[in-house]
Amino acid sequence: MMIDQLGTDTRAARRARQSYLRRLRRLARARLSRDEALSLEREIADHIDAAVAASPEADRHEVTLAAIRALGDPDEIVGSADDRAPGSTVRETIALLLLTIGSVLIPVVGWLIGVAVAWTSQRWSRMDKLLATLAPPGGLAIAVAPLLLGSASSGGDGSGLQAAPTALVLLLLAAHVAVIVRLARAVRR
Amino acid sequence: MTGAPRQADIAADLRRATLPFSVLAILARGPSYGYELIQEISSSIGMETSEGTVYPLLSRLSKQRLIASEWRPSDAGPPRKYYTVTDEGHRALRDFSAAWSEHVSALDTVLGVRR
């Protein structure tokens, strides 16, 4: 019975550790350089393991939870590691405008300039910039919508295939909106 | 309306403000890794921030070249990152120590404290 309880506690402690480190990893990789994020993750994992290793096996669940509590919220840790200068957000604002409205008003060129400006940002992480580059530009969904929806209505046979172009347009728009929301949140941090 | 700060709050503010130099002082005694260092801070002067925020502080001190780090093999598991104070760090610590003594001495005079 006691061995069963020990096993349950050990599994619960492992889950708590993994969940905490997963959250830290997600935040760190979004806001810090790759090397900084990796180093922070390894050190925090080592911190928890060192605390657990110094305790009797029967107490490991409690010790893991206590170590996690004492370490604090991953958001606070990553925020304190994020030493990007507060202040001007002009570049990010211009990039966001070009990636959204700019890509509609000045097709292709507006989006290209937006991506170039995004890469000069000091506030966005490399992941943010990659997403800004790889995500479909806002103008693209609007530009392809008439083509895709037109072909669906003229060539459709009433089957489920008709829904595919609409779904594609919605997918493009959703991906664009998701990336823009992420970038806008990263500016406010 | 906020009242005058109490002794515990003043002590906490002082500990928080001097944490970088406390870290340097502890590391000046010998190389250490994150968990060990935090245990030492907690037992000697007390922690006023989340323990996790010591790691970003160590990263900042590294960027300022006041401490250096290296991954060393560990008996207990994967390699550990050990920190040591650089020559520049020792100089910064000496400067802080001198400025601190001078400031405390001046404050003692103003406050009428006799040692």
Side-chain angles (χ1 to χ4, degrees), chain B residues 8 24 34 39 46 67 77 81 85 94:
Chain B
L24 280 181
Q39 295 305 301
I67 59 173
K81 197 174 190 179
V85 180
R94 276 197 301 274

Side-chain angles (χ1 to χ4, degrees), chain A residues 20 36 38-40 42-44 46-54 67 69-73 76-78 80-83, chain B residues 33-36 38-39 47 49-60 63 71 74 76-83:
Chain A
Y20 183 81
E36 280 177 323
L38 278 175
S39 178
L40 184 63
R42 284 177 70 178
E43 284 193 282
I44 296 286
D46 180 54
H47 181 106
I48 300 171
D49 295 342
V52 170
R69 269 196 304 274
L71 278 167
D73 190 336
E76 186 189 355
I77 299 173
V78 174
S80 141
D82 183 0
D83 51 9
Chain B
Y33 57 94
Y35 179 75
E36 191 178 60
I38 290 168
Q39 295 305 301
M47 282 290 298
T49 58
S50 307
E51 291 182 357
T53 58
V54 171
Y55 292 98
L57 169 62
L58 288 167
S59 171
R60 274 196 295 280
K63 282 181 190 168
W71 291 93
S74 155
R80 276 192 173 134
K81 197 174 190 179
Y82 274 80
Y83 294 92

Side-chain angles (χ1 to χ4, degrees), chain A residues 12-49:
Chain A
R14 200 178 298 137
R15 273 199 302 275
R17 177 188 181 278
Q18 283 171 347
S19 162
Y20 183 81
L21 291 176
R22 210 169 23 243
R23 181 147 179 260
L24 179 82
R25 183 179 308 124
R26 186 168 50 77
L27 291 166
R29 292 190 181 184
R31 295 176 66 172
L32 308 178
S33 72
R34 187 173 176 276
D35 287 349
E36 280 177 323
L38 278 175
S39 178
L40 184 63
E41 287 164 42
R42 284 177 70 178
E43 284 193 282
I44 296 286
D46 180 54
H47 181 106
I48 300 171
D49 295 342

Side-chain angles (χ1 to χ4, degrees), chain A residues 3 12 33 54 60 102 115 135 181:
Chain A
I3 292 172
S33 72
R60 289 192 171 175
V115 169
V181 167

